[in-house]
Amino acid sequence: MWMTVLFVLVIWGGVLVLYLGHPHQIWRRQPLQGRGWRILGWALILAGQTWGLGIMDTLAAFLAGSAAAMLAVAGLPFFGLLRTGPAPALRSGRHP
């Protein structure tokens, strides 16, 4: 049970690092700079998938890892909206 939870958390960590490096993320004022952060994010996702292969059947690990990554990609932008306080300024200079 705990190994499966850690498997999902490692994949979510990789997706989080990739999200924070994206120019349109809303959690930080500046995205994570440098190629090293992207490599770290992909390495965490790959390590999580490899870990999943060690604790589950091949197809189950692939599908569970893919579902965890898709859930994180879909949900991360909305967690930034839960912040209290003023909204971050638009970086593009355009006003809605």
Side-chain angles (χ1 to χ4, degrees), residues 6-7 10 14-15 17-18 21-22 26 28 36 48-50 55 62 64 66 69 71 74 76 80 83-84 90 94:
L6 290 175
F7 151 67
V10 168
V15 172
V17 170
L18 288 176
H22 194 274
I26 60 172
R28 300 169 40 97
Q49 284 286 18
T50 305
I55 60 174
F62 176 75
S66 299
L71 179 65
L76 279 174
R83 264 192 322 211
T84 59
L90 295 174
R94 294 178 291 147

Side-chain angles (χ1 to χ4, degrees), residues 12-87:
W12 282 354
V15 172
L16 177 65
V17 170
L18 288 176
Y19 174 73
L20 291 177
H22 194 274
H24 296 294
Q25 56 87 21
I26 60 172
W27 285 19
R28 300 169 40 97
R29 290 201 184 274
Q30 295 290 327
L32 297 174
Q33 299 293 323
R35 187 174 180 198
W37 290 108
R38 286 190 300 268
I39 292 172
L40 175 65
W42 283 112
L44 283 172
I45 292 171
L46 183 62
Q49 284 286 18
T50 305
W51 190 344
L53 288 173
I55 60 174
M56 294 183 204
D57 186 42
T58 304
L59 184 59
F62 176 75
L63 293 176
S66 299
M70 286 187 288
L71 179 65
V73 166
L76 279 174
F78 296 105
F79 282 114
L81 300 175
L82 296 175
R83 264 192 322 211
T84 59

